[in-house]
Amino acid sequence: MASLLNHLFQKERTHRTSLVQGQVTPDPTRCVQCGICSFNCPVEIDVRHHAWQGQPVVHSHCLTCGECVARCPRGVLRFERTNLFSEAGK
Amino acid sequence: MTRYVIIGTGVAAIAAAEAIRAYEQSGDLTLVGDDPFGYYSRPGLAYYLTGELNEEMLYPYRKADYQKLNLRYHHVHATRILPAEKQVELDSGMRLPYDKLLIATGAQALPLNIPGVDLKGVHKLDHLADARTLLANAKRGRAAIVTGGGITALELAEGLAARGMRVHYVLRSARYWPGVLDELESGVIESLLAQEGITLHHKSEISEILGRNGKINAVRLADGRSLKADLLAYAIGIAPRVGLARESGLDCERGILVNELMQTSQPDIYAAGDVAQVFDPASGKHLLDSLWNPAREQGHAAAINMTGHAKAYHKPPVFNVTRLVGLTITIIGAVGNQNDPDLLGVARGDSETWRQMPNVIVAQGGFEVNRLRLMVGKKHILGAVVMGDQKLSGMLQSIVRQKTDISPIRAQLLASNAPIADILAEFWTRETTIL
């Protein structure tokens, strides 16, 4: 039981770490609004809408799993480091 | 209250509607369009064909997005513009008055002009309806013929191969997309097509489509050979839908001529997107594009001018990112000047600016699929093709668009076997650090 809880907390910690360290950022000039990013998002975030607006995917449900970045056929999306204060961010 | 009318439902029209609402909340805004599917991602059809997307996902806008724009939508065909009365006549007989009008009617596929083109099983890829009928006909194991050039023809070949068809790609030219790609780049694409099981027939031309009981069953080539065919799909270029503008007396060449405010020859009528022929400062000519982002930018700029806030549109060096046979390619600025016998004029995902090759020396580097080609002018990089690894494409986009002075590294770039990617990356790091 303890190991299961540890495992769950570890997953949550990893998720939170990745959230503070990076976000998916679009280049709207490359986007053709095809929707592959939104179609492949496992938590159904409308990534395409962020790309249209030119806004990073700042969304509480975003897993930063990279599925949208990898699937985009036009290189619209990339990870951008956001944690400027940690050692890893330097 | 100003009455705005937009003819069209593509990205230029939607970008214009958004900009009008951003600048003027109270104006009366009407959209007129005859496309049965309204606003959807036309470039997304390529991924719909391969099965990477479902049809529902092609629509970027939801009901709430339309509601935010507070517009009226007439799903009809505009038959006439009456500039003197400032009215648009609809096929319902209704006349819509306007104070400012935007024409964003886009472009349509050019028809194939050979005997047998009316047989069942002969397809173009203009609209979602075409993609639907094409998919309904694309049966696993059957033979498909693709002909034409540019991005759409290749997307057709890839899509049909992904659906399990045995695809033959018939090209008039000696290599793929010679107007934009160089020989090595064409070679990379063609070897990837071969890996996908697509058979290429160079320097070949379909002279006749043969059929039985009204349906295609083979094509005859000009050299006398015949190929079995259960389906034929073609993409030989597009033509801007200028009929409405021409009949209304607006100045047109291949598209509707616009000035830097996106105004036509009638001051209250604007044009944007695939239908507009826009002044290109680099070549000094009015040129056509069929690209998503320039259409969006032009719609936005036109709308700002329509609301009375002057915004000149200076056509930047055009770029497009596309995926050809799984390989991402970015094309920026002027990169080629050869004629392409597979295309009549501009194609979708294409720009006339890419073929305005200026006085340049070519620098190239990289191996196999990761390749970089630079068109080096006296002080600037005027064009680039980035194939495969895209790490440098954003940087090159900035260098070409901002006309960055590359004099300090020009000699290095042009040295034989120069590591041009490293030279550029180091140069850009220095430039951006200084800024």
Side-chain angles (χ1 to χ4, degrees):
Chain A
M1 185 66 184
S3 101
L4 178 67
L5 281 174
N6 265 340
H7 177 66
L8 285 174
F9 282 126
Q10 180 60 39
K11 266 181 79 176
E12 180 60 17
R13 185 174 165 274
T14 309
H15 172 207
R16 285 178 186 278
T17 307
S18 61
L19 274 181
V20 294
Q21 287 190 342
Q23 62 191 12
V24 173
T25 303
D27 174 355
T29 63
R30 294 175 160 248
C31 180
V32 294
Q33 293 286 291
C34 69
I36 282 187
C37 50
S38 301
F39 187 58
N40 286 289
C41 177
V43 290
E44 297 182 352
I45 296 170
D46 192 359
V47 181
R48 161 169 56 187
H49 184 70
H50 287 79
W52 177 256
Q53 303 286 349
Q55 299 292 328
V57 183
V58 180
H59 196 290
S60 61
H61 292 164
C62 179
L63 308 166
T64 57
C65 64
E67 198 64 21
C68 57
V69 177
R71 299 271 189 159
C72 173
R74 298 188 179 234
V76 173
L77 304 166
R78 64 189 163 86
F79 279 115
E80 193 176 70
R81 193 173 284 280
T82 51
N83 185 3
L84 302 174
F85 303 105
S86 75
E87 285 301 309
K90 284 180 185 172
Chain B
M1 187 190 292
T2 310
R3 293 163 301 185
Y4 299 98
V5 175
I6 299 172
I7 307 175
T9 52
V11 63
I14 293 295
E18 285 190 356
I20 287 171
R21 275 292 168 253
Y23 281 79
E24 195 177 322
Q25 282 298 316
S26 60
D28 185 67
L29 177 56
T30 304
L31 212 62
V32 178
D34 55 7
D35 189 314
F37 303 99
Y39 172 49
Y40 63 94
S41 174
R42 167 64 190 68
L45 292 182
Y47 316 123
Y48 175 51
L49 285 185
T50 56
E52 291 167 89
L53 272 181
N54 62 21
E55 190 177 311
E56 188 193 337
M57 288 308 297
L58 291 170
Y59 297 93
Y61 255 38
R62 294 174 185 176
K63 199 173 173 186
D65 295 309
Y66 287 106
Q67 284 168 342
K68 262 190 226 164
L69 293 178
N70 185 24
L71 52 78
R72 257 192 310 276
Y73 177 34
H74 291 277
H75 185 193
V76 290
H77 178 63
T79 51
R80 211 154 48 123
I81 300 166
L82 306 154
E85 289 101 320
K86 297 185 89 170
Q87 291 180 341
V88 176
E89 193 175 84
L90 310 179
D91 64 1
S92 58
M94 183 184 171
R95 283 189 174 191
L96 269 180
Y98 66 81
D99 296 304
K100 301 284 178 186
L101 172 68
L102 175 68
I103 305 174
T105 44
Q108 63 200 3
L110 288 167
L112 196 62
N113 195 15
I114 51 176
V117 75
D118 295 328
L119 288 166
K120 197 164 173 254
V122 179
H123 301 268
K124 59 183 171 61
L125 184 63
D126 219 2
H127 298 294
L128 179 51
D130 298 325
R132 278 184 181 174
T133 47
L134 184 62
L135 285 181
N137 257 337
K139 302 280 192 295
R140 187 164 287 278
R142 301 281 178 88
I145 307 291
V146 172
T147 193
I151 291 173
T152 305
L154 209 70
E155 288 172 345
L156 284 165
E158 280 186 82
L160 293 169
R163 299 284 169 167
M165 295 197 82
R166 289 180 290 113
V167 180
H168 293 260
Y169 183 11
V170 178
L171 292 134
R172 284 181 176 174
S173 47
R175 59 185 179 86
Y176 171 67
W177 213 10
V180 172
L181 303 182
D182 71 8
E183 280 186 43
L184 269 163
E185 290 153 358
S186 296
V188 170
I189 299 298
E190 290 185 7
S191 69
L192 290 171
L193 284 171
Q195 282 173 33
E196 293 293 312
I198 295 167
T199 309
L200 276 91
H201 301 265
H202 296 107
K203 295 184 182 173
S204 299
E205 190 173 347
I206 298 171
S207 58
E208 189 180 2
I209 306 167
L210 308 169
R212 186 184 293 165
N213 300 326
K215 191 180 179 308
I216 179 174
N217 68 357
V219 295
R220 180 169 294 134
L221 304 184
D223 61 10
R225 283 182 297 154
S226 289
L227 295 172
K228 186 184 175 323
D230 298 295
L231 176 158
L232 183 146
Y234 67 90
I236 57 165
I238 52 161
R241 295 175 72 190
V242 289
L244 189 64
R246 208 186 288 278
E247 285 158 23
S248 310
L250 302 184
D251 289 349
C252 299
E253 285 178 4
R254 302 182 303 287
I256 305 172
L257 291 170
V258 292
N259 63 18
E260 61 177 14
L261 301 178
M262 307 306 293
Q263 265 171 325
T264 67
S265 50
Q266 288 283 342
D268 291 323
I269 304 179
Y270 297 73
D274 289 4
V275 77
Q277 198 177 328
V278 182
F279 184 71
D280 171 40
S283 62
K285 300 175 189 168
H286 281 81
L287 299 175
L288 295 171
D289 298 314
S290 181
L291 293 165
W292 183 272
N293 195 58
R296 180 184 182 181
E297 287 176 351
Q298 290 168 20
H300 182 83
I304 292 173
N305 289 307
M306 289 162 75
T307 57
H309 301 80
K311 180 181 170 65
Y313 177 74
H314 296 120
K315 190 177 173 60
V318 173
F319 91 105
N320 186 27
V321 191
T322 190
R323 192 188 63 188
L324 301 176
V325 223
L327 190 64
T328 306
I329 298 177
T330 303
I331 301 160
I332 311 164
V335 292
N337 63 357
Q338 279 202 32
N339 283 330
D340 186 340
D342 289 300
L343 289 172
L344 306 170
V346 78
R348 287 197 198 279
D350 189 8
S351 170
E352 288 183 340
T353 60
W354 292 338
R355 290 185 282 279
Q356 309 297 316
M357 180 128 78
N359 195 13
V360 291
I361 302 174
V362 180
Q364 46 199 323
F367 301 95
E368 295 176 359
V369 294
N370 292 325
R371 195 159 180 281
L372 175 62
R373 172 159 61 101
L374 303 176
M375 313 310 285
V376 184
K378 280 185 181 155
K379 285 176 75 175
H380 309 114
I381 292 174
L382 301 165
V385 175
V386 186
M387 199 171 224
D389 189 331
Q390 294 294 307
K391 279 193 213 73
L392 294 177
S393 70
M395 174 192 80
L396 272 165
Q397 194 181 325
S398 303
I399 288 176
V400 176
R401 282 198 162 201
Q402 293 166 15
K403 294 191 176 141
T404 305
D405 184 352
I406 52 105
S407 306
I409 55 165
R410 188 175 185 275
Q412 281 174 274
L413 288 175
L414 295 177
S416 85
N417 296 322
I420 56 174
D422 296 339
I423 296 166
L424 269 175
E426 273 174 37
F427 169 72
W428 190 243
T429 307
R430 280 200 307 273
E431 285 285 302
T432 46
T433 310
I434 293 163
L435 290 173

